[in-house]
Amino acid sequence: MIIREVRVTPVAFRDPPLLNAAGVHEPWALRTVVEVVTDEGLSGLGETYGDLGHLTKVRECAEALVGLDVHATHEMYARIGAIVGDVVSDLHGLTGAATKEKSVDRVFSTFEVACLDIRGKAAGVPVSDLLGGRVREAVPYSAYLFYKWAGHPGQEPDRFGEALDPAGVVAQAAMLIKEYGFTSIKLKGGVFPPEQEIEAILALREAFPGMPLRLDPNAAWSVETSIRVGRALDGVLQYLEDPTPEISGMAAVAGQVPMKLATNMCVVTQEHLPPAIEQRAIGVLLLDHHYWGGLVRSAQVAALCDTFGLELSMHSNSHLGISLAAMTHLAAATPNLTHACDTHTPWQDGQDVVAPGALRFEGGAVVAPTGPGLGVELDRDALAAMHEQYLTCGITARDDTTYMRRFEPAFSPGRPRW
C-alpha cells in the first residue's frame, strides 16, 4: 500500500477562556487534520497541532512521504528526522521542554496514526488490535476542570459559565459529570495562590465524596510550596501533577509528600526516563501520542514504565475526534494504563471534524471503536467550515500568555510563581 497523496488541512474551532499557568486560551483553538491516501484507494486520518511552525513542518514532511509503503514507518521516521531540523517551538509551554527528538516525534505521530488507520482498514480490524488487542472495552476519562472567565472579553458569556472560586469549580464539575458521567476529577491549577486551589480541591471532595481527585498547577510552584500543598492535601489527591519544574525539583518533592507525583512536563521524551527513574521523581507518567512519537512508540514507553513500576494516565490538549479515537485505541490496548485519561472533548462543545456516532461517552468512558482502523470518518462539511474558520480567525499559533496580557498587562508566566 503505497502513499500516493497526503492532504494537510489546518482548522480552527471555538475555545472557551480557560485559565492556566501560561495565561488563558484564545477564542480559537488550532489543529491540523492529515489524510494519507494510498494507491489502493484506502485513506487514513491523523490529527496534530495547528501552530504555524509545526504546520509548516507537517506540510514539508507530507511531500517527502509520497511513494513510501504505509508499513515503512522506520523509513518514514528517518525522512521526517532529516527534514524537521531545529526544534519546533512550543509557545504555550504546558507540555514540557522542546527537544529535537520531541520535535521529530510530534511531526511523525500524525502520519503514523494515519498509516495505522489504513492498515487497520486493510486488515478489517480496529487499530487497538494492531497494538495487541483491547484489554478494556471502554476507556475512562476524567472531568477536566478549569478556572475560567464567564466568556471571552467583549463576547457573550458561554454556556459553561464563570469558575473563579471553589463554588464555581464545583458547579462546573457538576455540569460535566451530569453530561458525561465522569467518575474522576482533575483541576487545572497554577492560576491562583495555592491556598485558594487547596480550598477548591477540598470543596470538590465535599461535593463528590469518594471520587478520585487530581490537581495540576503546571509547575507553577517552588519545591517548598509543592511540599506544603502536598502535605495539606494528604488523603485527598489521587496524584499531584507537575507541581514544580524539572526532574530534580520533582524528585525533591516526591520524597516529602504522601501522594504520587505525575508528569507530562518533566518527562516528555525517552531520554528523560532514566534520570526520572533513578531519582524517583515521578510515580505516574501521562502519555501523549502526539509528542511521544505515535501509538506504537507510546505502547513501547508504556511497557518500559511497567518494568520500572511507573503508573500511567494520558495527557490531553485541545483536540478533536480523530485524536480522541487514537487516544482511546491506545488506552484500550495498554494493560497498565489504569488511571482515567484526560480529555478536552467537553470544552469543544460538539464541534468536530468526524462524523457523529462513532465516539460516545457512557458513564464517563469512551467505548473503544470496533470498526476497521480508527473507526471514525471525516465530516467533510465540518472540515471545510473549520478550515474557513482557520483562514479568517487571525490566529496562527497558540499563545496563552500574549492573549492574557491584553487584559492583564503585568501577567508573567515565570516559574515558579509561588
Side-chain angles (χ1 to χ4, degrees), residues 91-356:
L91 290 176
H92 53 97
L94 298 181
T95 56
T99 68
K100 169 64 183 292
E101 178 187 11
K102 184 180 173 187
S103 297
V104 175
D105 285 347
R106 62 190 273 163
V107 174
F108 170 77
S109 62
T110 187
F111 298 110
E112 184 247 24
V113 169
C115 288
L116 286 171
D117 189 17
I118 292 168
R119 290 160 62 182
K121 290 174 180 176
V125 300
V127 163
S128 56
D129 279 11
L130 303 180
L131 301 174
R134 293 190 302 279
V135 295
R136 53 186 65 87
E137 297 302 316
V139 173
Y141 286 88
S142 286
Y144 200 167
L145 310 184
F146 285 80
Y147 291 105
K148 68 178 292 293
W149 297 331
H152 285 283
Q155 298 182 14
E156 291 294 317
D158 59 52
R159 79 175 187 90
F160 298 104
E162 183 178 88
L164 298 174
D165 56 21
V169 168
V170 168
Q172 184 184 107
M175 171 189 283
L176 297 186
I177 290 169
K178 180 180 179 181
E179 293 184 6
Y180 291 87
F182 295 121
T183 58
S184 63
I185 296 173
K186 172 176 171 175
L187 174 63
K188 178 68 77 176
V191 175
F192 295 113
E195 289 71 22
Q196 292 179 233
E197 297 184 355
I198 291 172
E199 290 179 15
I201 290 292
L202 295 178
L204 288 168
R205 181 181 65 169
E206 181 177 356
F208 306 98
M211 191 170 288
L213 302 175
R214 310 164 186 174
L215 175 60
D216 173 19
N218 281 124
W221 304 336
S222 68
V223 167
E224 294 74 19
T225 298
S226 300
I227 293 171
R228 176 168 56 82
V229 175
R231 291 175 175 174
L233 293 174
D234 184 9
V236 179
L237 291 182
Q238 182 183 46
Y239 59 69
L240 177 59
E241 182 180 337
D242 285 309
T244 201
E246 309 297 340
I247 291 172
S248 59
M250 292 281 282
V253 174
Q256 302 296 320
V257 297
M259 70 285 292
K260 293 181 184 294
L261 299 188
T263 189
N264 73 275
M265 293 183 70
C266 72
V267 180
V268 295
T269 69
Q270 297 204 28
E271 68 188 73
H272 297 148
L273 281 167
I277 292 168
E278 181 182 10
Q279 297 177 46
R280 301 180 184 274
I282 62 171
V284 183
L285 178 67
L286 276 73
L287 285 174
D288 187 328
H289 75 273
H290 299 92
Y291 60 76
W292 278 97
L295 303 182
V296 172
R297 286 172 179 259
S298 294
Q300 293 168 347
V301 170
L304 185 61
C305 288
D306 197 33
T307 300
F308 288 96
L310 296 180
E311 299 173 11
L312 293 176
S313 182
M314 189 176 289
H315 171 255
S316 165
N317 210 322
S318 299
H319 63 81
L320 296 167
I322 299 170
S323 283
L324 181 62
M327 293 160 64
T328 300
H329 280 287
L330 176 61
T334 305
N336 56 321
L337 204 162
T338 55
H339 290 291
C341 302
D342 297 347
T343 180
H344 282 61
T345 294
W347 299 109
Q348 278 32 103
D349 206 20
Q351 303 170 96
D352 215 334
V353 293
V354 302

